[in-house]
Amino acid sequence: MNRVVITGMGVVSPVGLTIPEFWASLVEGKCGIAPIQSFDASGMKVKVAAEVKGFDPTVYGIDKSTARKLDLFTQYSIAAAAQAMAQSGLKAGENVNGERLGVYIGSGIGGMQTYVTETRKSIERGPEKVSPHFIPMMIANMASGQVAIAHGAEGPCLPVMTACATSTNAIGEAFHAIKAGYADAIIAGGSEAAICPLSIGGFTNCMALSTQEDPLLASLPFDRRRGGFVMGEGAGVLVLESETNAKARGAIILAEICGYGNTCDAYHVTAPSPEATASARAIKLALMEAGYQEGESLYINAHGTGTALNDVSETVAIKKALGEEAARRALVSSTKSMTGHMLGAAGAAECIAAVLALREGVIPPTIGLTEPDPDCDLDYVPLTARKARCDMALSISLGFGGHNGCVALRRVEA
């Protein structure tokens, strides 16, 4: 079995378009939530979102003509992957065999913007006016497909779709593929660009979104005032590589990925199980595979959506997985308090935050947490970042359909 390391990371997020910008914003407690700018939301119950700001696809080699044939979620994935591959220095045909280089980039929803545009066109002007690019722009596997084309990745290509657990599952499955020897390196993560009236209307009507109009009060994980999550968008991509391949080419190793848990609540299509048995088992599986030892210091980047049910059940899951005493020693935070919920991209962005927390010895905060819920009684690093040198980190994601994913990371000395 191969050891698996992370050698590159890239991000497009509501709080930064590069890894340095993203990390600086998280450490500073900068909130990326604001009134919606991409359309007129004045007549809607939900008026805020965590939108990506200032994104320019041409910076990443996507010319304007090509951009018109790519949904925004695919553009985000190409941009984040370009950053990650540049940091890694990995190149097919040079320091990795293209047949041993894979892409596991998923999306929870896929090309929602394209779907809305072309559906309207079909209704108003007839099906013959639908774009010939509609299907390849809309289908959710195109983030993986386009990134594979861009980087000559001819190995395994698997676009995971498990709602809000998508990119955590993508990273975990990529980890297992490399560990088992099916690939030498995999570009893994998730991408999402679904902030539009249709998707916001759907999430609002199933009582999932916060209707708070003050951006600083909209996403309040683990706070008793929380009233739902805030839609975000963007992409997070990591380059996973066998330690052997990384060391052979002299790559800088950012962290070791060493454990993964994947379970299902088998309980309800949207609500998490209040018993949190399956989500606790996902955490346990990741810790067991990682060789976690009692007493090791641990940071947990929680799913922490700010919904009434999630935050309590996730707290229960952490306690069941670690035991009460170890759970209370762990440092837990929700970066969704700043980024909003990036849906299929959330797990990857949060895994990146966990890697940076291990490397920098700083735990990003849960901003806005001024009135803790008595049922959420762990150390959620409220309001401001905290210096702490942790041995391991977990990134937890929970998705509609009962999907539970957890990735375990170990700090690597620089």
Side-chain angles (χ1 to χ4, degrees), residues 161-251:
M161 285 188 72
T162 50
C164 304
T166 288
S167 49
T168 295
N169 287 141
I171 292 165
E173 296 300 327
F175 159 61
H176 275 174
I178 298 170
K179 183 178 179 179
Y182 295 110
D184 292 328
I186 296 179
I187 306 163
S191 185
E192 207 76 81
I195 298 175
C196 65
L198 180 63
S199 54
I200 286 184
F203 278 120
T204 301
N205 292 341
C206 72
M207 309 298 287
L209 295 185
S210 169
T211 56
Q212 172 61 247
E213 294 185 31
D214 184 341
L216 295 177
L217 297 176
S219 183
L220 296 174
F222 307 112
D223 192 290
R224 69 174 184 82
R225 299 166 296 161
R226 66 190 184 278
F229 73 81
V230 174
M231 277 192 71
E233 62 177 353
V237 173
L238 301 90
V239 175
L240 276 57
E241 191 171 353
S242 72
E243 183 184 51
T244 301
N245 199 76
K247 286 187 172 180
R249 65 184 188 86

Side-chain angles (χ1 to χ4, degrees), residues 7 47 51 65 104 117 119 124 154 192 206 210 257 343:
T7 57
K47 296 180 174 61
E51 295 174 293
S65 175
Y104 284 25
T117 298
T119 299
E124 294 175 354
E154 299 177 345
E192 207 76 81
C206 72
S210 169
I257 179 166
L343 305 178

Side-chain angles (χ1 to χ4, degrees), residues 6-13 18-19 22 73-88 101-106 143-144 147-148 151 167-168 170-171 174 186-192 234-240 254 342 344-353 355:
I6 296 165
T7 57
M9 303 189 297
V11 73
V12 173
S13 84
T18 65
I19 293 294
F22 174 71
F73 90 99
T74 301
Q75 294 180 40
Y76 287 164
S77 70
I78 292 170
Q83 295 174 40
M85 289 293 277
Q87 182 181 28
S88 175
L101 173 63
V103 182
Y104 284 25
I105 297 177
S144 275
V147 168
H151 297 283
S167 49
T168 295
I171 292 165
I186 296 179
I187 306 163
S191 185
E192 207 76 81
V237 173
L238 301 90
V239 175
L240 276 57
L254 305 177
M342 294 165 66
E350 290 156 14
C351 186
I352 289 168
V355 170

Side-chain angles (χ1 to χ4, degrees), residues 63-385:
D63 60 55
K64 291 181 179 179
S65 175
T66 302
R68 286 194 289 271
K69 301 170 187 175
L70 299 172
D71 189 271
L72 195 55
F73 90 99
T74 301
Q75 294 180 40
Y76 287 164
S77 70
I78 292 170
Q83 295 174 40
M85 289 293 277
Q87 182 181 28
S88 175
L90 199 68
K91 291 185 180 180
E94 292 186 17
N95 49 27
V96 66
N97 185 334
E99 295 179 359
R100 302 279 297 170
L101 173 63
V103 182
Y104 284 25
I105 297 177
S107 179
I109 295 176
M112 177 63 80
Q113 308 276 12
T114 297
Y115 180 84
V116 170
T117 298
E118 297 303 321
T119 299
R120 181 180 294 117
K121 191 185 298 183
S122 176
I123 292 169
E124 294 175 354
R125 299 169 58 192
E128 65 277 5
K129 297 299 183 180
V130 171
S131 169
H133 303 293
F134 170 47
I135 298 302
M137 286 177 70
M138 181 264 301
I139 51 181
N141 68 303
M142 277 302 160
S144 275
Q146 291 286 358
V147 168
I149 291 167
H151 297 283
E154 299 177 345
C157 193
L158 185 68
V160 175
M161 285 188 72
T162 50
C164 304
T166 288
S167 49
T168 295
N169 287 141
I171 292 165
E173 296 300 327
F175 159 61
H176 275 174
I178 298 170
K179 183 178 179 179
Y182 295 110
D184 292 328
I186 296 179
I187 306 163
S191 185
E192 207 76 81
I195 298 175
C196 65
L198 180 63
S199 54
I200 286 184
F203 278 120
T204 301
N205 292 341
C206 72
M207 309 298 287
L209 295 185
S210 169
T211 56
Q212 172 61 247
E213 294 185 31
D214 184 341
L216 295 177
L217 297 176
S219 183
L220 296 174
F222 307 112
D223 192 290
R224 69 174 184 82
R225 299 166 296 161
R226 66 190 184 278
F229 73 81
V230 174
M231 277 192 71
E233 62 177 353
V237 173
L238 301 90
V239 175
L240 276 57
E241 191 171 353
S242 72
E243 183 184 51
T244 301
N245 199 76
K247 286 187 172 180
R249 65 184 188 86
I252 295 172
I253 294 173
L254 305 177
E256 180 182 2
I257 179 166
C258 51
Y260 170 53
N262 174 12
T263 67
C264 184
D265 283 358
Y267 172 75
H268 189 271
V269 292
T270 58
S273 168
E275 300 298 320
T277 304
S279 50
R281 186 157 44 85
I283 298 169
K284 282 184 178 179
L285 288 169
L287 289 170
M288 287 172 59
E289 186 173 17
Y292 171 74
Q293 300 293 317
E294 187 176 346
E296 286 190 293
S297 54
L298 183 64
Y299 165 56
I300 301 173
N301 190 297
H303 190 55
T305 58
T307 60
L309 298 178
N310 174 90
D311 296 2
V312 175
S313 67
E314 188 171 13
T315 300
V316 172
I318 292 169
K319 289 179 179 179
K320 282 188 173 182
L322 293 175
E324 190 84 21
E325 186 177 338
R328 293 192 181 281
R329 286 198 306 268
L331 300 177
V332 184
S333 70
S334 173
T335 46
K336 287 185 181 72
S337 60
M338 295 171 275
T339 66
H341 193 342
M342 294 165 66
L343 305 178
E350 290 156 14
C351 186
I352 289 168
V355 170
L356 293 167
L358 289 177
R359 285 185 65 78
E360 303 297 328
V362 178
I363 307 302
T366 305
I367 67 168
L369 180 50
T370 59
E371 298 183 29
D373 183 338
D375 292 326
C376 299
D377 56 354
L378 301 178
D379 184 351
Y380 302 109
V381 193
L383 305 179
T384 57

